[in-house]
Amino acid sequence: MRVEAVERPAGSDAPAPFPHFHEPAELIWFHHANGHVITEAGDLPIKAGTLLWLPPMAAHDFRLEAGATHWVIVHCDPAAIADPAREGQALEQARIHCPEGAERTRIAIAFDWLTALAGQGGRAADVLALTRLLLGEFPADTAASGQPVSAALHRLRPALDLVAGTDGRLVTLEEAAARCHLSPSYFSRAFSAQFGVGFAEYARQYRLRAAARDLTTGGARVSEIAYARGFLNPSHFSAAFQKRYGVSPTTFRQLHRARGA
């Protein structure tokens, strides 16, 4: 889990559009913002006091207006925050809620606490518990259903599912294009235009994220993880991992274990 507060001062330009997707899910509270977020579920309006849930691998793009903004983002693994006590809690689809009155005040305070806990090195269990409580603020009927979005997101979706479902195997551009029933050249242009990154780079970053999770959740050797996640050899994997995370795979694991202890 990672908690980040994003603030821009008055007079700031509108953020540049950047359609994207990632493995962690996002729970977001907009203290102050105006605009909308484009998702596969629809084009959803954003205003001050908006609570938003975006599931993992859901393509989305924030289109916020110029000026001051303040929002808090919680990146998390849905499997870690799912609360067994809340049967039927739908975390697999985008959800949006705009509370009013005392409820809005309560949620805003909770996100302030969450930001403070994360910034002060608070216990992971406390951050987890508070995040679960905030997920419970979504009424049962808040599944997002905005205006239809670009068909390009839906057309490229099979490529995202292919990468996520291959358990680390290297997926070629040709395979991804075929899954979307597109020519490789057209698929490559469409993917880059839609998400701001080439397919090969996205697939590589996905495998690095999966490898990072392997390092922190199991005892496999670095070389075993490298081959399992589709890298040519351990040296190639270590170099790519160092470039992405700033430390070697071994150091990454040691830091995680030390933090957990």
Side-chain angles (χ1 to χ4, degrees):
M1 298 183 64
R2 183 169 69 90
V3 182
E4 179 183 7
V6 180
E7 293 190 65
R8 298 186 305 134
S12 297
D13 294 332
F18 181 58
H20 65 289
F21 48 89
H22 37 68
E23 189 174 2
E26 289 183 331
L27 178 66
I28 307 173
W29 172 251
F30 293 90
H31 281 289
H32 180 71
N34 285 293
H36 56 281
V37 56
I38 299 173
T39 76
E40 292 174 281
D43 191 341
L44 311 174
I46 296 297
K47 63 179 182 178
T50 298
L51 183 64
L52 179 68
W53 166 260
L54 296 172
M57 297 300 292
H60 57 281
D61 183 12
F62 298 106
R63 301 292 178 90
L64 301 181
E65 298 177 3
T69 58
H70 179 198
W71 40 321
V72 178
I73 306 175
V74 182
H75 288 104
C76 51
D77 179 353
I81 62 173
D83 190 347
R86 287 199 181 95
E87 295 183 6
Q89 177 74 58
L91 300 180
E92 68 280 357
Q93 57 186 328
R95 305 178 73 82
I96 190 167
H97 180 43
C98 297
E100 300 291 344
E103 182 188 10
R104 174 174 170 176
T105 300
R106 183 178 68 251
I107 293 176
I109 292 173
F111 270 94
D112 287 341
W113 286 350
L114 193 59
T115 304
L117 278 172
Q120 297 170 7
R123 293 194 312 147
D126 294 334
V127 176
L128 176 62
L130 190 50
T131 301
R132 283 178 171 171
L133 287 173
L134 286 166
L135 280 172
E137 294 291 343
F138 286 103
D141 59 350
T142 55
S145 58
Q147 297 299 314
V149 297
S150 169
L153 288 177
H154 297 291
R155 195 170 191 183
L156 297 173
R157 183 78 219 185
L160 313 189
D161 295 337
L162 179 62
V163 173
T166 51
D167 196 28
R169 180 180 65 80
L170 181 62
V171 176
T172 67
L173 184 145
E174 289 75 16
E175 286 180 286
R179 185 64 64 92
C180 297
H181 304 290
L182 299 171
S183 70
S185 59
Y186 183 89
F187 170 80
S188 181
R189 292 193 302 271
F191 195 95
S192 296
Q194 192 68 34
F195 300 113
V197 64
F199 174 78
E201 177 61 17
Y202 166 73
R204 189 177 72 90
Q205 294 294 338
Y206 187 97
R207 289 184 290 122
L208 284 171
R209 288 195 297 270
R213 186 174 61 244
D214 294 341
L215 288 165
T216 60
T217 58
R221 291 179 296 181
V222 171
S223 59
E224 294 172 338
I225 293 173
Y227 290 122
R229 290 303 175 183
F231 290 90
L232 296 176
N233 54 61
S235 296
H236 179 222
F237 167 62
S238 294
F241 195 93
Q242 175 93 30
K243 183 177 180 181
R244 172 66 178 84
Y245 290 103
V247 295
S248 70
T250 299
T251 301
F252 185 89
R253 171 177 274 169
Q254 291 171 344
L255 289 171
H256 175 80
R257 288 177 175 172
R259 189 177 298 116

